Amino acid sequence: MVLAVALVQGASRGLGLEFCKHILRNKSPAAAVIATCRAPEGASELMGLAAQYPGKVTVLKVDVNREDEIKGAAEEVRQRFGKVDLIINASAMLHPSGKGETSLRDVSAQGIISTLTTNTVGPLMMAKYFAPLLLRGGGCFGLQPPEKAKLHSGIIVNITAKVGSIGDNGLGGWYSYRMSKAALNMATRNLSIELARSRPKVVCVSLHPGTVNTDLSQPYHRNVPKDKLFSTEHSVNLMMSIIDKLNIEKTGKAYNWDGTELPW
């Protein structure tokens, strides 16, 4: 019997793939994972994970730049599972070029639009179509003290970045990426307000994973101290420990990997 349903958006590699592995290792056999990515046919490691956990992993083709695919996926999940307890929006791009803009002369309208579409608009559209399923969630993730049972149903986690904090920005640069994550944080805040009006409520937070050894950050590893460059497994372990302690009092905020609150 499936007690918890977790959906990981952007699950073909990096943090998204590691979230799938973590949930399957630590929540199975009571958890089912819905893993979405743009091109499942090319996601060999994800498909291998699905084969390793037969019946526990559902892989869906979802390009977050295509609203129709998000809508179709939500309908398929509704028919197959009837609910979602946790959504993690993990897919992100630094910039179409693979490098952040170091100055204004590097900025292009298309670069900004592409980055915002993937990093901000996509997660917001996921919330739009999956919110009804989150409202049917059983609060299987996050803290649910007996005396406060059913205070929340589902949880939305948007993977943000510290460079998206306006209050923390002292270096500038990386226009597209910074703007996309700052806008994502605003979306998280807005969602937390609207979805807190429901009964039961949906918890919405942004999480900063630290600097993680992924393709996105690889061009900048030489500037990161070794003890501050996290493996995907270590980062996900830290973030899942935060997710497991979430409750409605913590909604609408951004948190660092160590659980401290990140300034907007």
Side-chain angles (χ1 to χ4, degrees):
M1 179 181 177
V2 173
L3 298 178
V5 180
L7 187 151
V8 181
Q9 180 266 112
S12 62
R13 58 182 181 172
L15 289 172
L17 181 62
E18 191 60 45
F19 270 115
C20 294
K21 292 178 181 178
H22 180 102
I23 292 168
L24 290 166
R25 282 195 307 262
N26 295 278
K27 306 293 183 181
S28 187
V33 171
I34 303 164
T36 78
C37 62
R38 187 169 48 185
E41 65 279 2
S44 57
E45 194 170 353
L46 176 59
M47 299 309 293
L49 188 67
Q52 182 183 347
Y53 291 89
K56 293 295 180 183
V57 181
T58 301
V59 180
L60 298 180
K61 182 183 184 302
V62 176
D63 182 343
V64 291
N65 295 335
R66 295 182 58 89
E67 187 174 353
D68 59 327
E69 289 191 6
I70 297 173
K71 182 178 181 181
E75 177 58 24
E76 185 169 347
V77 172
R78 185 191 68 78
Q79 292 178 10
R80 294 181 64 172
F81 297 94
K83 69 162 187 172
V84 174
D85 298 287
L86 170 67
I87 287 182
I88 300 173
N89 286 304
S91 69
M93 64 186 300
L94 181 59
H95 186 268
S97 68
K99 296 181 179 180
E101 310 98 328
T102 57
S103 69
L104 191 56
R105 65 177 175 271
D106 300 321
V107 174
S108 70
Q110 191 54 54
I112 292 174
I113 291 168
S114 296
T115 308
L116 282 167
T117 300
T118 297
N119 295 358
T120 310
V121 180
L124 185 57
M125 291 300 99
M126 289 290 294
K128 174 182 177 179
Y129 290 105
F130 281 93
L133 297 176
L134 286 162
L135 289 170
R136 299 177 188 174
C140 302
F141 292 88
L143 191 64
Q144 286 280 19
E147 70 275 11
K148 296 183 178 180
K150 294 298 290 181
L151 271 182
H152 78 261
S153 52
I155 295 172
I156 297 176
V157 173
N158 291 324
I159 302 301
T160 189
K162 192 175 182 180
V163 296
S165 168
I166 295 174
D168 187 71
N169 184 4
L171 296 175
W174 287 25
Y175 282 87
S176 298
Y177 191 66
R178 285 186 187 273
M179 289 167 63
S180 72
K181 292 301 187 178
L184 179 63
N185 290 341
M186 178 60 81
T188 300
R189 183 69 171 175
N190 256 27
L191 287 167
S192 73
I193 294 169
E194 179 168 353
L195 297 179
R197 297 176 185 139
S198 59
R199 293 289 184 274
K201 306 172 189 296
V202 175
V203 176
C204 307
V205 298
S206 292
L207 292 185
H208 168 52
T211 303
V212 186
N213 188 4
T214 62
D215 292 342
L216 186 148
S217 65
Q218 195 160 16
Y220 305 95
H221 287 177
R222 65 181 182 275
N223 299 321
V224 181
K226 287 185 178 181
D227 63 333
K228 294 298 184 182
L229 182 62
F230 296 162
S231 68
T232 55
E233 182 176 4
H234 181 59
S235 177
V236 166
N237 283 341
L238 292 169
M239 288 189 287
M240 282 302 302
S241 70
I242 296 171
I243 292 170
D244 286 339
K245 295 179 179 67
L246 287 175
N247 56 36
I248 196 61
E249 284 78 20
K250 296 183 178 180
T251 195
K253 298 177 182 179
Y255 297 96
N256 283 304
W257 51 268
D258 61 358
T260 59
E261 192 170 338
L262 182 65
W264 294 123

